[in-house]
């Protein structure tokens, strides 16, 4: 019998792998529903859903490997990164789902959340005040009007699978919905700035680099404390704190 491998686990959700099947267990049934429903709408390759029961989604493994991970080297070629950019553009050009996603929070809500988080980061001694202040300034450029697009909402590089130079699938759609397309592009390239030109070439549209930088700062500022509290390490080389330092 195949062993059970814990892919990721924290208080909100866990993903287990048994052979070629992934079991996603989520405390929030709404996220399970969003993931299943959005994968059916997405115009890009997604995993096959094998079955769905309360709080559990079973999906088949995808062929190929991920393009890389935050804090680690890229395992994909420049052509593969460009193919991922093209797939992301295809997603963004599709009619968006009816509900807002993680990338669809309003500028006012984000600004309030960001200001509160910045204060906590400094008050709790998690990050130096000058690092937080500088990145809060950079993040301001993300707080602007945008046209709703079909967004993934958590498009980490580890969620995109390729086989050679072909995108074979995108996983983890629980945060999907209407949102800012540049949020997805920034999430995808976080910590992999060396592949921005490849992604942009595949995406095929003019992109405001200041907004990409802003989303890198914003996402990282909002993530640091959560990651620490859930036993992840944002201080690891190449991860969120290094992203914040790169804007100094």
């Amino acid at each position: 019998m195949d062993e059970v491998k814990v892919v990721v686990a924290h208080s909100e959700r866990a993903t287990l792998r048994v052979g070629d099947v992934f079991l996603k267990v989520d405390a929030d049934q709404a996220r399970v529903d969003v993931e299943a429903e959005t994968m059916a709408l997405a115009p890009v390759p997604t995993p096959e859903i094998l079955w769905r029961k309360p709080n559990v989604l079973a999906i088949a493994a995808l062929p190929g490997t991920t393009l890389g991970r935050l804090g680690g080297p890229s395992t994909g070629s420049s052509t593969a990164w460009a193919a991922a950019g093209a797939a992301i553009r295809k997603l963004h050009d599709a009619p968006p789902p009816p509900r807002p996603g993680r990338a669809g929070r309003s500028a006012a809500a984000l600004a309030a959340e960001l200001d509160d988080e910045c204060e906590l980061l400094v008050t709790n001694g998690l990050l130096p005040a000058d690092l937080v202040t500088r990145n809060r300034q950079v993040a301001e450029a993300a707080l602007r009007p945008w046209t709703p697009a079909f967004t993934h909402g958590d498009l980490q590089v580890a969620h995109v699978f390729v086989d050679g130079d072909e995108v074979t699938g995108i996983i983890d759609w629980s945060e999907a919905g209407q949102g800012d397309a540049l949020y997805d592009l920034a999430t995808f390239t976080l910590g992999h700035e060396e592949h921005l030109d490849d992604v942009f070439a595949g995406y095929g549209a003019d992109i405001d680099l200041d907004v990409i930088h802003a989303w890198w700062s914003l996402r990282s500022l909002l993530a640091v404390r959560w990651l620490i509290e859930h036993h992840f390490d944002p201080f690891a080389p190449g991860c969120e704190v290094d992203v914040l330092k790169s804007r100094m």
Side-chain angles (χ1 to χ4, degrees):
M1 181 177 180
D2 290 308
E3 66 178 1
V4 176
K5 179 182 178 182
V6 178
V7 179
V8 64
H10 50 76
S11 60
E12 296 176 5
R13 66 188 80 169
T15 301
L16 311 175
R17 179 169 186 167
V18 185
D20 289 332
V21 177
F22 287 86
L23 299 177
K24 303 193 68 174
V25 184
D26 200 310
D28 186 349
Q29 178 63 37
R31 280 195 296 252
V32 177
D33 294 338
V34 166
E35 180 153 13
E37 292 163 7
T38 307
M39 283 197 290
L41 296 173
V44 295
T46 61
E48 177 189 0
I49 296 176
L50 302 175
W51 50 262
R52 174 169 39 145
K53 295 184 179 180
N55 297 96
V56 182
L57 185 67
I59 61 176
L62 288 169
T65 59
T66 64
L67 265 174
R69 61 179 178 83
L70 183 61
S74 164
T75 56
S77 67
S78 293
T79 304
W81 281 84
I88 296 169
R89 178 63 184 271
K90 186 175 182 180
L91 175 69
H92 291 166
D93 284 347
R99 64 175 70 83
R102 181 72 174 170
R105 290 167 291 171
S106 71
L110 274 171
E113 182 182 357
L114 186 58
D115 288 339
D116 288 345
E117 194 62 34
C118 288
E119 182 177 354
L120 287 170
L121 289 170
V122 175
T123 300
N124 295 341
L126 297 175
L127 292 176
D130 61 340
L131 183 65
V132 172
T133 298
R134 171 56 182 158
N135 279 276
R136 176 62 182 87
Q137 293 168 347
V138 173
E140 188 67 26
L143 307 177
R144 87 271 180 245
W146 40 266
T147 301
F150 192 144
T151 54
H152 180 280
D154 190 21
L155 196 59
Q156 302 175 45
V157 65
H159 292 164
V160 179
F161 282 71
V162 296
D163 188 359
D165 296 330
E166 179 183 355
V167 175
T168 57
I170 300 175
I171 64 171
D172 286 1
W173 293 82
S174 61
E175 308 286 355
Q178 294 181 20
D180 178 3
L182 295 194
Y183 178 94
D184 270 357
L185 287 170
T187 302
F188 181 62
T189 55
L190 184 73
H192 288 283
E193 190 166 359
E194 73 278 9
H195 284 294
L196 271 177
D197 288 345
D198 299 327
V199 174
F200 290 176
Y203 194 77
D206 291 333
I207 295 167
D208 190 331
L209 193 57
D210 286 342
V211 176
I212 297 294
H213 291 163
W215 276 123
W216 285 349
S217 290
L218 196 156
R219 181 181 172 92
S220 297
L221 286 169
L222 292 182
V224 167
R225 190 169 59 90
W226 185 94
L227 289 167
I228 292 171
E229 291 176 351
H230 290 79
H231 311 294
F232 299 103
D233 185 8
F235 292 89
C239 291
E240 285 79 6
V241 174
D242 276 355
V243 171
L244 295 172
K245 289 178 178 177
S246 71
R247 304 273 67 85
M248 297 296 286

